Each structure stands twice: as C-alpha cells, then as structure tokens.
Amino acid sequence: MKVLLVISLAALALAAPEGPRPTYAPAPPYHPTPAYTPAPPYRPAPAYTPAPAYRPAPAYAPPASYRPAAAYEAPPKYDFNWVVKDDYSANDYGHQESRDGYNTQGSYYVQLPDGRLQKVTYHVDGDSGYVAEVTYEGQAQYPAHQPSYHPTPSYRPTHSPSYRTTPLYHTTPSYHPTPSYHTTPSYHPTTPAYRPRPTYRPTPAYTPAPAYG
C-alpha cells in the first residue's frame, strides 16, 4: 500500500509542468545603528546688542516740607545774662549783654581774691569803638597767712648712741710710678777701627857677588 502511494506521488511530480526556477537575491548590506549621536548643526550667537545710552539720574528735588534758611537781612538783636556763684570754691562772676542793631551795651564782673568786686561796663555805638569803664567795689583785705600744715618736729634721740663708728679710713698714698727708664748709652765698639796693612814693597833684585880671579 505504501509502495503504491509513493509511486503515485512520483508520477504526479513528473507529470507536472516545469516552472521557472526562483532567482537568488543576495541579502541586503548590513548597516549597524550608529552609537554616536552627531552634534546639532552650529548656530552662531545672535549679534551683540549694545547697552542702552546712559541717562543721568534726575536732579534731587528737596522734600516739600524743606524751607531754606531765612536771610538775615534784619539788624541783629539779642539779650543774654549768665551768673556763676559757688561759695565752696569762692567763684563769683557773671556777664550781661544786649544788642540792638549797631548799639551794644553790657557788663561783666568777677570777685577778686582780695575781697573786692571788679566790674567792667562797656558799650559800642556805631563806629565809636569799644568803650569800657572799670570800677571796684569793697575794700582790699590781706589777712596774715596761717598755714594749715604743721610739720612734724624732727626726730632727736633721747640717749647717746653706744655705737662708735670706725675712724675714717686713711688710704694708701697715691702711687708713685718708677722713674722713667734711662736707656743704655749708644754702643762704643772696643776694637779700634780697622787699619789696612802698608802697601807691599818687593825686595830689590839680587846683585851677584863679584867673581874673584
């Protein structure tokens, strides 16, 4: 049974018309995915915009409540008076003055150490200058000086001291140095000065004795 089935299939295959053979298509080239992401295209920075033109600060406007000082066009006019009196320190003096325009009057006083009161009265009227009058009140007093400090009397011993001091020390007389050194007199040589020997005189030539015949 199996043999018949195989034969039938083979016959059918041989009876079928032969069609075109499929052509070979190569595989597409491999393109790996790039791991590096390219940088975006360069875009230059926008053009520099200059700073706005300098505008100075607005002028300072004083507050509404500010009022300039009044001009002193009116003639001066004032009056003052002060006094100092301290019994503990014996200070007693004062000053008074009044002015109205170019007319000035005043006075000052001081208690002097001798008990008198010195008072000066002055006035200035226009171009008259400074005019003063000095007066004194009271009588000068000069009481005898009585020092309040009593010095302690100097100490005096009640008995003579038993201790007797050593008499003054007599020092050795001042040092007398040895008399100045006298040097040895200049050197006198004992040997007389050298005298050269007399000039050599040769013995006269020999004269032979006469011959005897």
Side-chain angles (χ1 to χ4, degrees):
M1 185 67 180
K2 292 181 179 181
V3 175
L4 291 176
L5 182 60
V6 171
I7 294 171
S8 298
L9 291 176
L12 290 174
L14 293 174
E18 185 178 359
R21 296 182 177 179
T23 60
Y24 173 77
Y30 173 73
H31 298 284
T33 304
Y36 172 76
T37 303
Y42 172 75
R43 295 179 182 179
Y48 173 76
T49 303
Y54 172 76
R55 296 180 182 178
Y60 174 76
S65 60
Y66 172 76
R67 295 180 181 179
Y72 293 98
E73 298 178 357
K77 186 176 183 179
Y78 62 83
D79 188 0
F80 70 84
N81 184 10
W82 56 266
V83 174
V84 174
K85 185 174 179 60
D86 184 15
D87 296 334
Y88 179 77
S89 61
N91 283 319
D92 187 4
Y93 53 92
H95 189 191
Q96 177 274 330
E97 182 178 297
S98 61
R99 180 176 179 179
D100 187 1
Y102 294 100
N103 185 10
T104 304
Q105 297 181 359
S107 64
Y108 58 88
Y109 68 91
V110 60
Q111 188 74 38
L112 300 178
D114 58 6
R116 296 180 299 169
L117 182 69
Q118 183 186 38
K119 186 175 182 180
V120 180
T121 305
Y122 61 90
H123 69 275
V124 178
D125 189 2
D127 298 333
S128 64
Y130 180 82
V131 181
E133 180 183 1
V134 183
T135 58
Y136 294 91
E137 298 179 5
Q139 202 73 8
Q141 299 178 3
Y142 304 98
H145 178 65
Q146 297 179 357
S148 58
Y149 171 72
H150 299 284
T152 306
S154 59
Y155 174 74
R156 296 180 181 178
T158 56
H159 60 279
S160 301
S162 58
Y163 174 72
R164 296 181 181 179
T165 58
T166 307
L168 295 175
Y169 175 71
H170 298 284
T171 59
T172 307
S174 60
Y175 172 73
H176 298 285
T178 307
S180 60
Y181 176 73
H182 298 285
T183 59
T184 307
S186 60
Y187 174 73
H188 298 284
T190 55
T191 305
Y194 174 74
R195 296 179 182 179
R197 294 181 181 182
T199 306
Y200 174 74
R201 295 179 180 178
T203 306
Y206 174 73
T207 305
Y212 295 96

